Amino acid sequence: MNDREFSERLIKVRSDRSSGAAELARSCLAIIAESCRRDNSDSTAKLLQATFNRSALLAGSRPSMAPVTNLLTIFQEVISTLKDLPPAEARRKCVEVAENITATSVKSTEKTAEHAAALIGENRTVFTLSYSSTVLQAFTLLDKKSIKVIVSESRPLYEGYSMAEKLSQLGIPITLITDAQAGLFVERADMVLVGADTILPDFSVLNKAGTYLAALAAQDNNIPFYVCSEKYKQTGSLDKAPELEAMDPAELNAPDLPLVSIENIYFDVTPAKLITGWINEEGILPVGQH
Amino acid sequence: MNDREFSERLIKVRSDRSSGAAELARSCLAIIAESCRRDNSDSTAKLLQATFNRSALLAGSRPSMAPVTNLLTIFQEVISTLKDLPPAEARRKCVEVAENITATSVKSTEKTAEHAAALIGENRTVFTLSYSSTVLQAFTLLDKKSIKVIVSESRPLYEGYSMAEKLSQLGIPITLITDAQAGLFVERADMVLVGADTILPDFSVLNKAGTYLAALAAQDNNIPFYVCSEKYKQTGSLDKAPELEAMDPAELNAPDLPLVSIENIYFDVTPAKLITGWINEEGILPVGQH
């Protein structure tokens, strides 16, 4: 994979609006695995240096999505132990490490989805928003006939439509609403269940903009609010506020008016006090008082 | 105005998505005034009966907007005292009554806007949503250079764009956001200021969907939340829940998918506990504890 090819892949990751954070982290591992597979360095030091540089670029590509950073950091830590191997073996090992991390993360998602499905149970109406592959996987495990899902569209690029489409394919009845109607529909649900892009050290949750509003509505109506997210989505860094990625204002497709500046911040932070529990691969961790 | 013409005007009122509730109530009074002006009944009884029937149809045309009902009910009450006048004079009086009620409501809006402007003062950032003619009028009274407004787009038909356009024409700098970003931007404002379609007897407020979410975010961030609305927008009826008008699901422009039903409820109710004060033509009435 030459530099131009790698740059193209990196730009795709940066501009990806449709994948969840876990999916995107796995895409990054697939890119780095392919990069190693096609590497033709004549020394292990050169291979590792190039792989380090590329994995660092991928790790920093989505600052609001902790799993992208976390899984690539694990990758870097493991491959740093390979420096004494001959190049061919180091190359093979790098690919294996990336694949193993991916496999472990897939297993974490499966276990998390199982715990979420057990919590949801039967005859429930679940409110969700945007698109989360982990939440979607939980629904695949349930009796489709006994579940209803309310999903908000998630402006500006309507990831809620993808969620609705995939739930529809599973045979689950869906109510689709605008984001502004969340206050009207959270109270019609038995619970709110969302994914996460990042879990912060204090268990507050960075997720698609609108999540915080749904959590406020859930609290005001005594509806439990659950976050469904693998443990590798937690960031350990307390030393700086999370970066909330801002995207191209043109995505709103709003009229161009003098004196009007358009903001397109993709993520908000839901404080831990509004979160009933964090569903992860180990079970359900109670979080806030709510 | 024959029946076909009246029906067309009535349909226009029912499908109007861009006017505020006060504006629409005045449009209804203009329709009924024109209907009286062009009436050619040969008796006062016939004139009043026809006018009653038409004003009743207008009064019931927008169940989420109390001023439409309220101003037309006042009109009906006043014209019921005209039955002993000769037809030509009764006709002239009916028109005069409609015009007087309109003039009074315009004056109420002016006074309300003055109180709102005095409250806002200078060097403030105000968060608002959708389109309110009363809120807009308050901004016309302020020093445009010292005010900033954050406005959310208000899906599905983006009345926030109209608000942004009019504020832009006034020379006020605007930040335009998606409805889902309200939680991120309410905390950057000094206050939230919204209009109302109906004030309920307990001072809770029926307004464009998304208002309740902005109020929750305001409370969570200790930002004052004001409603700016003339007194004739209050409904006295306690005996039934307010009707929240649902509009055509096609307005969302969402994909047509099996098992997916689209909801398009235009209004939500913000409970009084979340409202700092009600600004009306008499001043500012403290409402909730917040």
Side-chain angles (χ1 to χ4, degrees):
Chain A
M1 187 184 288
N2 62 31
D3 283 347
R4 197 183 48 77
E5 283 174 281
F6 177 77
S7 282
E8 281 169 8
R9 303 287 291 269
L10 182 64
I11 287 165
K12 260 196 179 162
V13 168
R14 283 203 181 113
S15 62
D16 188 317
R17 302 285 179 277
S18 57
S19 303
E23 287 175 326
L24 214 49
R26 287 173 206 145
S27 297
C28 290
L29 287 166
I31 293 168
I32 207 73
E34 193 185 330
S35 168
C36 294
R37 208 177 282 118
R38 290 167 57 188
D39 176 88
N40 48 16
S41 308
D42 54 10
S43 78
T44 298
K46 281 185 193 162
L47 161 73
L48 292 184
Q49 191 55 54
T51 305
F52 247 85
N53 292 347
R54 289 184 170 181
S55 56
L57 286 168
L58 288 166
S61 65
R62 298 305 299 265
S64 296
M65 297 180 171
V68 173
T69 316
N70 290 353
L71 296 190
L72 287 158
T73 304
I74 295 170
F75 173 80
Q76 290 180 319
E77 282 164 11
V78 180
I79 66 163
S80 69
T81 64
L82 308 177
K83 58 184 181 298
D84 298 329
L85 295 180
E89 202 180 332
R91 195 172 293 127
R92 198 183 49 73
K93 269 280 184 193
C94 282
V95 174
E96 196 182 294
V97 169
E99 288 172 348
N100 285 347
I101 295 170
T102 299
T104 306
S105 96
V106 167
K107 206 161 284 174
S108 298
T109 302
E110 284 168 3
K111 289 299 288 178
T112 301
E114 281 170 25
H115 288 298
L119 176 76
I120 299 170
E122 293 192 342
N123 302 312
R124 295 297 187 90
T125 299
V126 179
F127 182 102
T128 192
L129 52 80
S130 189
Y131 169 80
S132 156
S133 58
T134 316
V135 169
L136 184 64
Q137 197 157 342
F139 285 119
T140 64
L141 304 174
L142 291 164
D143 173 17
K144 318 300 181 287
K145 294 270 170 287
S146 84
I147 293 293
K148 287 179 190 155
V149 178
I150 303 166
V151 57
S152 65
E153 59 186 18
S154 207
R155 282 274 290 155
L157 295 187
Y158 307 99
E159 296 93 324
Y161 293 175
S162 311
M163 192 69 179
E165 190 177 359
K166 295 205 161 114
L167 291 168
S168 165
Q169 285 160 357
L170 289 176
I172 295 173
I174 303 113
T175 300
L176 181 67
I177 60 168
T178 55
D179 302 324
Q181 290 177 86
L184 289 158
F185 282 86
V186 160
E187 62 172 322
R188 302 186 189 184
D190 297 300
M191 67 169 71
V192 179
L193 181 67
V194 298
D197 289 283
T198 294
I199 309 271
L200 296 165
D202 68 350
F203 303 109
S204 52
V205 166
L206 194 157
N207 195 43
K208 185 73 201 283
T211 304
Y212 168 50
L213 296 171
L216 286 168
Q219 185 190 50
D220 199 44
N221 291 282
N222 285 312
I223 308 289
F225 182 95
Y226 287 98
V227 176
C228 174
S229 162
E230 308 82 340
K231 291 193 79 179
Y232 63 79
K233 284 189 180 167
Q234 190 168 28
T235 174
S237 164
L238 267 166
D239 50 334
K240 55 170 188 160
E243 183 178 333
L244 303 177
E245 294 176 29
M247 307 298 186
D248 187 353
E251 287 183 358
L252 266 69
N253 209 18
D256 190 17
L257 295 166
L259 293 170
V260 174
S261 78
I262 295 166
E263 290 276 359
N264 186 19
I265 301 177
Y266 253 56
F267 303 96
D268 62 22
V269 175
T270 300
K273 67 174 181 184
L274 299 176
I275 297 168
T276 310
W278 174 16
I279 307 166
N280 60 39
E281 57 268 48
E282 291 175 4
I284 301 171
L285 183 75
V287 178
Q289 302 304 311
H290 171 49
Chain B
M1 188 183 287
N2 63 31
D3 283 347
R4 196 183 48 77
E5 284 175 281
F6 177 77
S7 282
E8 281 168 10
R9 304 288 291 270
L10 181 64
I11 287 165
K12 260 196 178 162
V13 169
R14 283 204 180 114
S15 63
D16 189 317
R17 303 283 179 278
S18 56
S19 303
E23 287 175 325
L24 213 49
R26 287 174 206 143
S27 297
C28 289
L29 286 166
I31 293 168
I32 206 74
E34 193 186 332
S35 169
C36 294
R37 208 177 281 118
R38 291 167 58 188
D39 176 88
N40 50 15
S41 306
D42 54 11
S43 79
T44 300
K46 279 185 194 160
L47 161 71
L48 293 183
Q49 190 56 53
T51 306
F52 247 85
N53 291 346
R54 288 185 171 181
S55 56
L57 286 167
L58 289 165
S61 66
R62 297 304 299 264
S64 296
M65 296 180 172
V68 174
T69 315
N70 290 352
L71 296 190
L72 287 159
T73 304
I74 294 170
F75 173 79
Q76 290 181 317
E77 281 165 10
V78 179
I79 66 163
S80 69
T81 65
L82 308 177
K83 58 183 182 298
D84 297 329
L85 295 180
E89 203 181 328
R91 194 172 292 128
R92 198 184 48 74
K93 269 282 186 192
C94 281
V95 174
E96 197 183 292
V97 169
E99 287 171 350
N100 285 347
I101 295 170
T102 299
T104 306
S105 96
V106 167
K107 206 161 283 174
S108 298
T109 302
E110 284 167 6
K111 291 298 290 177
T112 302
E114 281 170 26
H115 288 298
L119 175 77
I120 299 170
E122 292 190 342
N123 301 313
R124 297 297 187 90
T125 300
V126 180
F127 182 103
T128 191
L129 53 80
S130 189
Y131 169 80
S132 156
S133 57
T134 316
V135 169
L136 183 64
Q137 197 157 341
F139 285 118
T140 65
L141 303 173
L142 291 164
D143 173 18
K144 318 300 181 287
K145 293 270 171 286
S146 85
I147 293 293
K148 286 179 191 155
V149 178
I150 303 166
V151 57
S152 65
E153 60 185 16
S154 206
R155 282 271 292 154
L157 296 187
Y158 308 99
E159 296 94 324
Y161 292 175
S162 311
M163 192 70 180
E165 190 176 2
K166 294 201 161 118
L167 291 167
S168 165
Q169 286 160 359
L170 289 175
I172 295 173
I174 302 112
T175 300
L176 181 66
I177 61 168
T178 55
D179 303 323
Q181 289 176 87
L184 289 157
F185 282 86
V186 160
E187 63 173 322
R188 302 186 189 185
D190 297 300
M191 67 169 71
V192 179
L193 180 67
V194 297
D197 289 282
T198 294
I199 309 270
L200 296 165
D202 68 351
F203 303 108
S204 52
V205 166
L206 193 157
N207 195 43
K208 185 73 200 283
T211 304
Y212 167 51
L213 297 171
L216 287 168
Q219 184 189 50
D220 199 45
N221 291 282
N222 283 312
I223 309 289
F225 182 95
Y226 287 98
V227 177
C228 175
S229 161
E230 308 83 340
K231 290 192 78 179
Y232 63 78
K233 283 188 180 166
Q234 190 168 29
T235 174
S237 164
L238 266 165
D239 49 336
K240 55 170 187 157
E243 182 177 332
L244 304 177
E245 293 176 29
M247 306 297 185
D248 187 353
E251 286 183 359
L252 266 70
N253 209 18
D256 190 17
L257 295 166
L259 293 172
V260 174
S261 77
I262 295 165
E263 291 276 358
N264 186 18
I265 300 176
Y266 254 55
F267 303 96
D268 63 22
V269 175
T270 301
K273 66 174 183 185
L274 299 176
I275 298 169
T276 311
W278 174 16
I279 307 166
N280 59 40
E281 57 269 47
E282 291 175 5
I284 300 171
L285 183 76
V287 177
Q289 302 305 309
H290 172 47

